[in-house]
Amino acid sequence: NAGVTQTPKFQVLKTGQSMTLQCAQDMNHEYMSWYRQDPGMGLRLIHYSVGAGITDQGEVPNGYNVSRSTTEDFPLRLLSAAPSQTSVYFCASSLGSNSPLHFGNGTRLTVT
Amino acid sequence: EDKVVQSPLSLVVHEGDTVTLNCSYEVTNFRSLLWYKQEKKAPTFLFMLTSSGIEKKSGRLSSILDKKELSSILNITATQTGDSAIYLCAVPSGNTPLVFGKGTRLSVIA
């Protein structure tokens, strides 16, 4: 029972590079979301999706892009990495907006 | 804008102590409040409190929702070093996923 799977676990980028963080869930959840976690800042919502083909911005969307072509997958794209995007990124899924989130194990990203 | 405020931000206690963590919220249409525990990796779900379920208990952990005061507490009795973690409080906000507080970092020392 995989739950929410994120890859990679660690990544180092140079400023200006682009990359995609992968997220997949096997629970048939409609809701998927991306958060970033920085020291002392809690979890901040980047983008979310309420179903295939539907995405929306969260609190800190700038510099990130998402798409949701299937129920299972919700990749997060960094368009041009900046040092301010150094963070731990968590993907999560849930049955609905009022349901507990199930988290992946996170991706630690460093931008130099 | 909906928000969640947790206090204290950090706390150091000795094994065996009882601790109380606080969470206050401002949300337009309250539906629920959730508590999570985060150790080294992903947050794990502890409790979900609603208007119809204002108290939850699991072992040494318990939580109460006070809708009048727009707040919740998480109690941990007889703390152990394994309770050391960041405890996160969150509320759903409209149609978006959860809005989280900044968390309380609890350190339990032997």
Side-chain angles (χ1 to χ4, degrees):
Chain A
N1 194 1
V4 179
T5 303
Q6 284 184 241
T7 56
K9 293 182 182 177
F10 302 95
Q11 183 71 50
V12 178
L13 291 177
K14 294 189 189 305
T15 297
Q17 288 185 315
S18 63
M19 78 158 295
T20 299
L21 307 185
Q22 301 291 344
C23 176
Q25 54 94 7
D26 62 0
M27 296 173 283
N28 204 30
H29 285 170
E30 288 296 323
Y31 277 61
M32 294 188 75
S33 50
W34 278 100
Y35 290 85
R36 62 177 287 174
Q37 187 173 35
D38 303 293
M41 298 295 291
L43 288 159
R44 293 184 292 170
L45 182 65
I46 305 172
H47 285 285
Y48 67 99
S49 169
V50 302
I54 306 169
T55 64
D56 209 342
Q57 296 181 350
E59 180 187 354
V60 288
N62 292 340
Y64 308 96
N65 211 349
V66 292
S67 59
R68 184 95 180 271
S69 56
T70 67
T71 299
E72 294 78 19
D73 300 299
F74 191 45
L76 177 73
R77 295 182 189 83
L78 277 70
L79 309 172
S80 177
S84 61
Q85 293 179 304
T86 293
S87 189
V88 179
Y89 292 84
F90 287 101
C91 178
S93 71
S94 65
L95 281 171
S97 65
N98 197 34
S99 303
L101 291 174
H102 298 257
F103 286 88
N105 281 330
T107 296
R108 184 173 294 274
L109 175 69
T110 302
V111 183
T112 60
Chain B
E1 181 181 315
D2 297 341
K3 67 177 182 180
V4 176
V5 178
Q6 293 186 244
S7 64
L9 293 181
S10 66
L11 188 58
V12 180
V13 301
H14 289 94
E15 270 193 319
D17 287 351
T18 293
V19 298
T20 298
L21 310 182
N22 300 286
C23 176
S24 63
Y25 60 88
E26 292 179 27
V27 62
T28 305
N29 183 20
F30 177 84
R31 286 172 286 162
S32 62
L33 183 145
L34 293 87
W35 284 98
Y36 283 81
K37 177 182 181 182
Q38 184 178 24
E39 296 175 87
K40 293 196 187 303
K41 291 189 176 179
T44 54
F45 172 69
L46 292 175
F47 299 120
M48 180 172 172
L49 304 165
T50 66
S51 298
S52 58
I54 62 170
E55 286 193 56
K56 298 281 183 177
K57 183 175 170 61
S58 176
R60 296 178 294 102
L61 276 67
S62 62
S63 185
I64 298 173
L65 176 70
D66 187 337
K67 281 200 69 180
K68 187 176 177 183
E69 297 295 329
L70 306 184
S71 65
S72 173
I73 59 170
L74 177 68
N75 280 322
I76 308 174
T77 60
T79 51
Q80 303 170 357
T81 55
D83 295 324
S84 296
I86 297 172
Y87 290 85
L88 296 161
C89 174
V91 295
S93 173
N95 204 31
T96 68
L98 299 177
V99 174
F100 285 85
K102 293 183 178 180
T104 294
R105 181 180 293 275
L106 174 66
S107 299
V108 182
I109 54 179

